């Protein structure tokens, strides 16, 4: 399997993406904003198809679209970001724009399929470098913000009283979510962004571990699920995104079952 260059690139890409999606998803689940990542992925889809229509890289369009939506959502605050109706409206409008752009992309049907369902085996070396830059930037910013972000997530009123800028944290964090979403879509596709963003984080939160241990655990679990999906896809010829989603769901259900048996 590793004799092929495209498989080695795929494993590297899966590691870079999973290493970001794990900890970002942990804060996302902790803050109760999982639906926001789904909306950002659809906005990114509109940006990616728009970029394809204009002749640019779909990853650049997806990143720009999701990042713009994340920043705007952060500035809007809880009045918009916390309402499922508003997020659902943004999601549906963005998906409609993506469908409109696809209508004019008669020559890029395969690219549209890759955007929706992921194409990790099609990651190029240049895209791998782009993913590396995004991953390092996201992890550096998240490491810098982790303590105030955890404080604001658990006790927002007290954090604001202590001088923590809740609005600024919301903007920066949702921008990080947007970048992680754009990365994740390269592996799982727009429709299955929840796979790596939410499943490992939800599993670790169910365990009730300390924050630092849980954040490290989300990275390990997300990487294990991504690599496991690649290996199973190689031997079964089923899509990688399917196996990643299935592994994430099984691990979460096993964790819930173990908690019930142990009485926790």
């Amino acid at each position: 399997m590793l004799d092929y260059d495209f498989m080695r690139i795929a494993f590297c890409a899966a590691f870079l993406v999973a290493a970001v999606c794990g900890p970002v998803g942990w804060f996302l689940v902790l803050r109760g904003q999982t639906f926001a990542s789904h909306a950002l992925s659809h906005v990114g889809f509109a940006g990616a198809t728009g970029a394809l229509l204009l002749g640019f890289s779909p990853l650049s369009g997806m990143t720009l679209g999701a990042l713009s939506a994340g920043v705007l959502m952060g500035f809007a605050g809880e009045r918009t970001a916390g309402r499922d109706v508003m997020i659902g409206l943004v999601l549906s409008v963005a998906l409609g724009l993506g469908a409109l752009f696809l209508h004019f992309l008669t020559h890029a049907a395969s690219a549209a399929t890759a955007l929706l369902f992921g194409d990790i085996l099609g990651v190029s070396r240049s895209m791998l470098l782009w993913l590396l830059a995004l991953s390092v930037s996201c992890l550096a910013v998240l490491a810098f913000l982790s303590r105030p972000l955890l404080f604001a997530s658990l006790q927002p009123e007290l954090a604001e009283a202590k001088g923590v800028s809740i609005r600024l944290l919301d903007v920066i964090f949702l921008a990080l979510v947007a970048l992680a979403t754009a990365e994740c879509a390269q592996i799982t596709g727009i429709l299955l962004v929840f796979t790596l963003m939410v499943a490992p984080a939800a599993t670790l939160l169910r365990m009730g571990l300390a924050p630092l241990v849980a954040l490290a655990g989300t990275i390990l679990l997300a990487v294990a699920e991504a690599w496991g999906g690649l290996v199973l896809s190689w031997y079964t010829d089923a899509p990688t995104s399917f196996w990643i989603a299935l592994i994430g769901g099984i691990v979460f259900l096993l964790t819930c079952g173990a908690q019930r048996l142990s009485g926790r």
Side-chain angles (χ1 to χ4, degrees):
M1 177 173 56
L2 295 178
D3 289 340
Y4 295 92
D5 187 57
F6 71 91
M7 287 301 298
R8 293 194 295 269
I9 293 177
F11 273 98
C12 291
F15 173 79
L16 293 174
V17 172
V20 173
C21 288
V24 170
W26 188 83
F27 279 105
L28 192 69
V29 176
L30 182 68
R31 294 166 64 86
Q33 294 179 313
T34 53
F35 192 40
S37 68
H38 196 52
L40 290 176
S41 68
H42 284 68
V43 175
F45 174 67
T49 51
L52 277 173
L53 189 62
L54 296 175
F56 296 103
S57 165
L59 179 58
S60 61
M62 184 182 300
T63 303
L64 182 60
L67 185 60
S68 302
V71 171
L72 290 175
M73 199 177 292
F75 275 118
E78 293 183 358
R79 291 175 299 175
T80 298
R83 290 183 180 176
D84 289 347
V85 174
M86 294 298 297
I87 295 177
L89 181 62
V90 171
L91 185 151
S92 58
V93 171
L95 195 59
L97 283 174
L100 176 65
F101 295 150
L102 281 181
H103 174 72
F104 298 105
L105 280 173
T106 56
H107 63 285
S110 59
T113 303
L115 288 173
L116 290 173
F117 301 103
D119 185 20
I120 187 173
L121 300 181
V123 175
S124 62
R125 288 190 175 273
S126 60
M127 184 181 292
L128 187 64
L129 293 176
W130 183 241
L131 292 177
L132 175 62
L134 284 178
S135 298
V136 172
S137 302
C138 288
L139 289 176
V141 174
L142 187 62
F144 180 74
L145 292 179
S146 59
R147 288 177 64 85
L149 184 61
L150 180 63
F151 187 21
S153 301
L154 296 176
Q155 295 180 315
E157 294 83 5
L158 182 58
E160 193 169 16
K162 290 288 187 178
V164 177
S165 177
I166 303 296
R167 180 63 59 83
L168 180 61
L169 279 177
D170 285 342
V171 172
I172 297 176
F173 176 67
L174 284 174
L176 287 178
V177 173
L179 293 177
T181 299
E183 284 192 78
C184 188
Q186 302 304 307
I187 293 181
T188 63
I190 297 295
L191 300 179
L192 291 175
V193 164
F194 274 11
T195 302
L196 278 180
M197 191 78 73
V198 175
T203 300
L204 268 296
L205 278 172
R206 293 282 298 185
M207 294 181 179
L209 302 175
L212 286 178
V213 177
L215 287 172
T218 55
I219 295 177
L220 294 176
L221 183 57
V223 171
E225 291 179 4
W227 282 1
L230 272 171
V231 172
L232 290 171
S233 175
W234 171 266
Y235 287 109
T236 64
D237 203 30
T240 304
S241 55
F242 160 73
W243 284 116
I244 295 176
L246 184 62
I247 293 172
I250 290 174
V251 171
F252 179 76
L253 290 177
L254 288 176
T255 303
C256 296
Q259 284 184 318
R260 288 181 177 273
L261 291 176
S262 63
R264 291 185 58 183

